[in-house]
Amino acid sequence: MCGIFGCVLKDGQAAPRVLAALKRLEYRGYDSCGEATVHEGRIFVRKDVGEVDAVHARLKLDELPGKIGIGHTRWATHGAPTQDNAHPHTDCTGRIAVAHNGIIENFLELREELKARGHVFKSRTDTEVVPHLIEEFMTKGLDLVKATMEAVKRLKGSFALVIVHADFDGLVCVKMESPLVLGVGRDGMYVASDVPAFLPYTNVIVPLEDGDMAVLRPDGYEVYCFATGKPVRRKPRTVDWTADMAQKEGYPHFMLKEIHEQPRSLRNTLRLDRRYLTMMADLLNTAHEAFMVACGTSYHACVAASYAMARLAKKAVHPVIASEFVENYGDFVGARTTILAVSQSGETADTLAAVEHAKERGATILGITNVLGSKLTRVARVYVCQQSGPEIGVAATKTYTAQLSVLSQLAVLMAERRGKLGHVEAEDLWEHLMAVPDVVEAVMEATEKHIISLAKRYAGTERFAFVGAGVNFATALEGRLKLLEIAYAPSIATPRLDDNIVECLGQTSVAIFVCPTSGDGRESVLSDAMKAADSGMEVVVLAHENDEEAAEVADELVALPFKPDMPEVLTPLPFIIPLQLFAYYVSVERGLNPDKPRNLAKSVTVK
Ligand code: BG6
């Protein structure tokens, strides 16, 4: 996730507005930033690594001349945070500049093609293919608008782009799967990833749709379908948001916004370059001993992955809480060991300590992280960026499901590379994985209202039990952690609800069961749910919408609309959604602020 902005003013200087917008967009990314302006037939670019204030102090971003400007705050996805990789990116002539948010899946192939035609690349980003592609079409005689249309038809993936040209009195922008909204001001036209970027100047907005290309001039805009070149109508509307509400896209808390962002962040995880995941799969498969080390939520993703790797690839990859690793497993580590460290921030001290110990003893280090340039990416032999964008809510939500998705892909690849999956079974798993973002979206839609009513009903409950067996033991652990972190509710997570637990928790408790349609855990979960109901506990069951057996034992059935034949190893993805929502709404019902848990702080990247 990155923040992009552009403005075309009737009068005055664009650069101070671009700078102010970058500050307001910094929550979307902050490892580097930059801007480009157009003045008297020239493009001016300033960009560097660091937060906006630091870069501005060095480069004086508000001094660039001209009435047209674009800007970018970066959260690196391809290419580490460096000055060359910062946006905007230019073509060979320096007359076209582009800022981009999203992932261009086929950039390697385009880059090779463009290099063969003589284009010279200055960065390692996916974005840089765009100015060169536009340049290529312009040298064939097309104008900026037509060349952009042709260029974006060649792109696969997600992209919101803002584009300026030295000789063009305006700017061009394009939207495909990444957010982009126009602002219609009295003093000019604006475009940004999010409304807060231009809210001080206008509250008249035009949300663009996928496939739209807009041309902004000082006194108006036109929107086209870039595939056909035909004009389309997008009506302006007025929003009544404060800057704070706009940053949260109208949601009351970042946590709720990020829960709702999951279909989008999951789609990003499915665009990963499989070559790196395949390298990881091979290094895990051939290891003598293989471990996953992580803390907190990331550890829960490893628990789920360990089940999936064992079940699909028949390979034991032990999940270990990072703080436990060195003392208990440190002696077994050597040159034949592979350690997969999973850390959203890539900076968690215990995870890094485990990794460093293992590296010193000659182990192979792999990493999955959300922060390119973090320490984990510097020590790992192979790493993969989970592509979630910054997570502002302290309690991890979208980064958890992103980790689950990346790790599930890894488990399937491990199984394929070890020859443990038939062709049909592998195809089926990939098909279900690719459908996960839509399933998660449907689950959110189908369950949120019910969860709100459950949160009201149970907000005063003293104790909770989360029960999930097999791979969904991870779901129980994570559901419990969320409730503990933001609603401070004493709770346990267990694969089996034995009699002692039932007796200790007593009738004043709610037991929440995760019940997939198949798998070894199903019978035990159902029989434990019956036991809990008999003892007078309130029983909530999360199950498939047509699960009659589950409905029979439940006081409350949370009905999930996933395909009943979804392989059990993938079910932690839909099942965690109602539990994230439950923790959020219980926290709100208790009058707490879910974005500011008392006892938690996120690890931050050391810059
Ligand atoms: C802990 C946090 O410090 O770190 C948890 O309290 C978090 O919420 C855990 O899940 C792991 O963080 P990371 O960045 O390594 O995934």
Side-chain angles (χ1 to χ4, degrees):
M1 192 159 89
C2 302
I4 61 175
F5 175 80
C7 65
V8 181
L9 300 179
K10 290 178 185 163
D11 276 306
Q13 193 193 352
R17 296 206 173 188
V18 180
L19 172 62
L22 293 185
K23 279 298 299 167
R24 287 189 289 272
L25 285 172
E26 218 170 5
Y27 69 94
R28 296 182 60 90
Y30 41 77
D31 61 43
S32 34
C33 64
E35 56 176 74
T37 60
V38 182
H39 185 59
E40 294 180 347
R42 276 183 64 195
I43 296 273
F44 296 79
V45 181
R46 287 186 191 171
K47 59 183 189 174
D48 207 351
V49 178
E51 294 182 6
V52 175
D53 281 340
V55 174
H56 173 52
R58 288 198 298 276
L59 301 183
K60 302 283 173 270
L61 293 173
D62 59 349
E63 285 180 354
L64 292 178
K67 294 185 230 170
I68 300 168
I70 60 173
H72 186 272
T73 54
R74 182 162 189 245
W75 183 271
T77 58
H78 291 78
T82 63
Q83 188 180 33
D84 283 343
N85 289 339
H87 298 219
H89 290 283
T90 49
D91 67 322
C92 298
T93 65
R95 300 182 66 71
I96 302 166
V98 175
H100 164 227
N101 171 35
I103 298 166
I104 294 165
E105 283 166 36
N106 57 336
F107 82 100
L108 279 176
E109 166 191 326
L110 291 170
R111 196 180 157 102
E112 288 316 307
E113 181 186 322
L114 288 159
K115 272 185 173 172
R117 297 186 68 83
H119 290 261
V120 178
F121 283 76
K122 300 177 279 286
S123 79
R124 296 175 65 84
T125 62
D126 52 341
T127 305
E128 202 188 338
V129 296
V130 181
H132 290 285
L133 259 182
I134 297 173
E135 178 192 3
E136 186 67 20
F137 284 107
M138 287 187 84
T139 54
K140 290 183 182 148
L142 299 184
D143 63 17
L144 177 68
V145 175
K146 294 229 166 67
T148 302
M149 264 180 201
E150 291 309 314
V152 293
K153 282 188 212 162
R154 300 280 324 269
L155 306 181
K156 286 190 191 140
S158 62
F159 43 88
L161 298 162
V162 287
I163 302 151
V164 286
H165 185 283
D167 297 326
F168 190 74
D169 185 28
L171 68 78
V172 178
C173 54
V174 185
K175 173 179 160 35
M176 179 53 81
E177 286 191 33
S178 296
L180 201 63
V181 56
L182 307 185
V184 184
R186 291 215 175 107
D187 57 355
M189 287 295 307
Y190 299 87
V191 58
S193 317
D194 271 344
V195 176
F198 53 67
L199 202 58
Y201 319 118
T202 180
N203 63 350
V204 180
I205 69 163
V206 184
L208 294 181
E209 290 181 18
D210 287 344
D212 284 355
M213 184 179 103
V215 180
L216 275 53
R217 313 232 184 219
D219 48 9
Y221 67 94
E222 301 125 38
V223 185
Y224 302 90
C225 162
F226 66 65
T228 62
K230 292 200 175 131
V232 286
R233 264 178 73 83
R234 298 281 175 250
K235 271 211 219 141
R237 64 184 172 89
T238 305
V239 289
D240 188 15
W241 289 351
T242 61
D244 181 59
M245 281 163 77
Q247 260 196 358
K248 294 174 191 151
E249 287 173 11
Y251 289 103
H253 296 99
F254 281 111
M255 183 177 174
L256 191 60
K257 171 179 175 265
E258 285 160 0
I259 290 174
H260 279 268
E261 259 168 37
Q262 288 176 111
R264 201 191 297 156
S265 56
L266 282 164
R267 275 180 200 113
N268 286 342
T269 63
L270 293 165
R271 298 199 168 97
L272 284 175
D273 190 334
R274 289 213 189 135
R275 279 176 314 174
Y276 296 104
L277 280 176
T278 306
M279 276 157 81
M280 280 190 171
D282 290 346
L283 289 165
L284 285 166
N285 278 340
T286 52
H288 201 256
E289 310 87 17
F291 297 94
M292 282 178 277
V293 293
C295 296
T297 293
S298 299
Y299 168 73
H300 298 158
C302 295
V303 171
S306 171
Y307 281 97
M309 289 165 183
R311 296 280 290 270
L312 299 175
K314 317 290 176 216
K315 173 82 189 173
V317 184
H318 309 285
V320 183
I321 296 176
S323 56
E324 300 289 292
F325 187 76
V326 175
E327 197 172 325
N328 298 292
Y329 298 89
D331 289 347
F332 303 116
V333 175
R336 294 193 300 168
T337 311
T338 296
I339 307 279
L340 169 57
V342 180
S343 170
Q344 185 282 131
S345 61
E347 298 288 347
T348 298
D350 286 334
T351 307
L352 293 175
V355 161
E356 267 151 20
H357 171 89
K359 196 165 179 169
E360 269 166 30
R361 295 178 66 101
T364 300
I365 310 297
L366 313 176
I368 295 176
T369 181
N370 193 28
V371 183
L372 276 191
S374 62
K375 182 105 191 263
L376 181 56
T377 62
R378 298 198 293 272
V379 294
R381 175 158 156 201
V382 185
Y383 63 82
V384 164
C385 177
Q386 62 180 81
Q387 314 278 10
S388 318
E391 192 168 57
I392 314 241
V394 175
T397 52
K398 64 173 180 171
T399 55
Y400 175 65
T401 47
Q403 288 167 343
L404 283 181
S405 170
V406 175
L407 287 163
S408 304
Q409 294 175 60
L410 183 59
V412 177
L413 284 169
M414 284 169 69
E416 284 184 308
R417 307 282 290 176
R418 275 169 75 84
K420 301 291 179 192
L421 278 182
H423 182 65
V424 175
E425 207 186 340
E427 286 276 291
D428 185 56
L429 277 157
W430 284 115
E431 218 170 274
H432 278 281
L433 259 169
M434 299 314 274
V436 159
D438 292 343
V439 170
V440 161
E441 198 157 10
V443 166
M444 207 125 46
E445 224 172 286
T447 60
E448 189 160 4
K449 277 204 185 107
H450 189 190
I451 294 292
I452 293 172
S453 75
L454 292 185
K456 283 191 199 310
R457 180 166 165 187
Y458 298 132
T461 300
E462 267 175 43
R463 293 173 293 245
F464 293 84
F466 290 84
V467 186
V471 67
N472 279 302
F473 177 43
T475 311
L477 286 168
E478 179 60 10
R480 173 219 176 232
L481 181 67
K482 287 294 88 94
L483 193 67
L484 197 68
E485 282 178 336
I486 61 170
Y488 318 117
S491 40
I492 61 152
T494 174
R496 293 301 315 255
L497 196 68
D498 68 30
D499 294 340
N500 290 323
I501 302 177
V502 173
E503 197 183 317
C504 291
L505 288 175
Q507 294 179 1
T508 56
S509 310
V510 172
I512 301 176
F513 295 85
V514 182
C515 183
T517 39
S518 61
D520 299 341
R522 177 177 168 82
E523 288 313 309
S524 71
V525 164
L526 280 173
S527 88
D528 283 355
M530 244 177 264
K531 191 194 299 175
D534 290 346
S535 78
M537 289 170 99
E538 279 286 312
V539 172
V540 177
V541 184
L542 273 50
H544 184 265
E545 56 188 352
N546 299 329
D547 193 329
E548 286 173 15
E549 267 185 306
E552 249 172 57
V553 295
D555 293 308
E556 294 279 357
L557 179 82
V558 178
L560 279 71
F562 55 84
K563 272 188 164 177
D565 63 344
M566 180 179 229
E568 192 196 0
V569 290
L570 302 183
T571 57
L573 279 151
F575 273 128
I576 194 58
I577 304 298
L579 297 182
Q580 293 171 340
L581 288 167
F582 184 67
Y584 170 79
Y585 284 110
V586 170
S587 173
V588 171
E589 278 298 316
R590 291 184 169 192
L592 303 164
N593 181 350
D595 279 348
K596 295 212 159 60
R598 287 200 292 260
N599 307 314
L600 273 184
K602 253 201 163 85
S603 301
V604 290
T605 305
V606 181
K607 295 203 164 67

